Amino acid sequence: TSLIDPVRHRADCEEQIRKHPIQFTFDAHIYDAAGRKVGIRPSMFTDDPEQLEAGMLGVMNQQAQIVRHLSVAGAIAPAMHKILEDHAIDEKLLESVIADSGFIPEGRMPIFFRAIKLGFEWDFSTALHLFIPQAENSLRHLLAQHGVITTSLDHVGIEEAWPLGKILSEPKLSEIFGDTLVFELRSLLLGGTGANFRNLLAHGLLRDGYLNSHEAFYLWWLLLRMTVLPTSALKAFIEQYTSTKSDAGVSENDKNQ
């Protein structure tokens, strides 16, 4: 399934606002999975450009939840079932697929392996406890490889790693991954009107049920995608699978002729 293109998604949200203006006339209060009020999506009918942009971002984040739910139910979950029917997801297979992943820093392979394996066992709650902090570290690692200093020094020389919000605001990250992936990460991991998975998980504010929800499944799939797509093993598998399907199609056509 495709990621949510922020340009197209924004246009779809603007169309929704035009069709249903009353729904977006007033401020909307945003509550997280723990029931805390964490933000306000401003009214879309204002002359303040900053408030208008904040409102649009809130609408986009809210509508993205619906899109992700449909993607999981209609494409990602069925694909997962098919993979598990056709393949045994064991240590040998996973290691062969992620062995040369540029998203995995040195020494982190066992943690990524467990996060991916647990997801294929439908335990997204435990998987995300491993995957989210490791992915945050991987983003810093990739930025550093592209010449970005991902630490800050305070007035007494204490060095601190960049928090996730600053990482995802770094322009170089959009150059590396593209605006689409960065939008997905911001919408799923950060707070305000987003899902805020990173902070809620880090502070123990998420129940097991929410961590096994459609949106949690989507986040695990997104992090899996970031881990495996750059690997040569997956590229070879896709090429082999495409070739096999193509040959099967040719053989079937020969039978029909």
Side-chain angles (χ1 to χ4, degrees):
T1 187
S2 300
L3 300 178
I4 298 174
D5 177 359
V7 175
R8 182 179 301 173
H9 185 59
R10 185 186 186 98
D12 291 341
C13 290
E14 290 172 345
E15 181 65 18
Q16 280 284 100
I17 294 168
R18 283 193 292 270
K19 288 183 176 179
H20 309 284
I22 295 178
Q23 182 179 343
F24 304 98
T25 300
F26 304 102
D27 295 348
H29 294 198
I30 309 298
Y31 295 86
D32 65 21
R36 301 179 307 141
K37 181 178 174 180
V38 294
I40 297 176
R41 190 267 295 153
S43 165
M44 292 305 299
F45 296 90
T46 174
D47 294 327
D48 184 339
E50 289 187 8
Q51 186 178 10
L52 186 63
E53 183 59 28
M56 177 55 70
L57 182 60
V59 174
M60 290 174 67
N61 282 331
Q62 289 176 309
Q63 294 299 312
Q65 294 178 13
I66 300 172
V67 175
R68 292 178 186 126
H69 186 100
L70 295 174
S71 293
V72 168
I76 301 173
M80 181 95 127
H81 282 294
K82 182 62 176 174
I83 290 171
L84 292 172
E85 285 177 10
D86 295 346
H87 303 280
I89 309 299
D90 55 19
E91 183 173 349
K92 183 178 179 180
L93 175 63
L94 282 182
E95 286 184 349
S96 69
V97 172
I98 66 176
D100 63 341
S101 173
F103 193 63
I104 304 178
E106 184 178 354
R108 306 299 178 104
M109 185 69 69
I111 307 176
F112 276 81
F113 167 79
R114 290 196 294 272
I116 294 171
K117 184 70 162 57
L118 286 164
F120 277 108
E121 294 170 357
W122 304 95
D123 183 2
F124 304 111
S125 176
T126 309
L128 289 176
H129 275 84
L130 297 171
F131 226 156
I132 290 175
Q134 292 304 315
E136 180 176 340
N137 178 69
S138 290
L139 293 174
R140 278 192 293 264
H141 171 70
L142 287 173
L143 285 175
Q145 288 186 320
H146 285 78
V148 179
I149 298 174
T150 58
T151 56
S152 301
L153 288 174
D154 67 10
H155 66 286
V156 294
I158 295 176
E159 188 173 9
E160 293 186 352
W162 279 7
L164 184 60
K166 189 167 184 177
I167 294 170
L168 295 178
S169 297
E170 168 57 45
K172 179 62 72 173
L173 199 67
S174 293
E175 293 180 23
I176 298 170
F177 288 115
D179 292 336
T180 297
L181 184 56
V182 172
F183 168 77
E184 291 272 36
L185 291 172
R186 291 185 65 86
S187 179
L188 284 162
L189 294 174
L190 297 184
T193 57
N196 201 23
F197 268 104
R198 190 271 183 197
N199 288 329
L200 292 175
L201 182 144
H203 295 294
L205 295 172
L206 290 175
R207 297 176 181 175
D208 187 69
Y210 189 79
L211 279 165
N212 282 295
S213 65
H214 281 79
E215 201 156 26
F217 188 171
Y218 188 96
L219 174 57
W220 174 84
W221 166 80
L222 180 69
L223 298 178
L224 172 67
R225 178 186 177 120
M226 294 173 67
T227 304
V228 304
L229 275 185
T231 66
S232 58
L234 185 66
K235 182 179 179 181
F237 171 80
I238 292 172
E239 290 175 351
Q240 180 182 5
Y241 178 79
T242 304
S243 175
T244 302
K245 295 290 285 184
S246 177
D247 292 344
V250 170
S251 298
E252 188 65 30
N253 288 334
D254 289 344
K255 290 178 183 180
N256 294 332
Q257 284 178 356

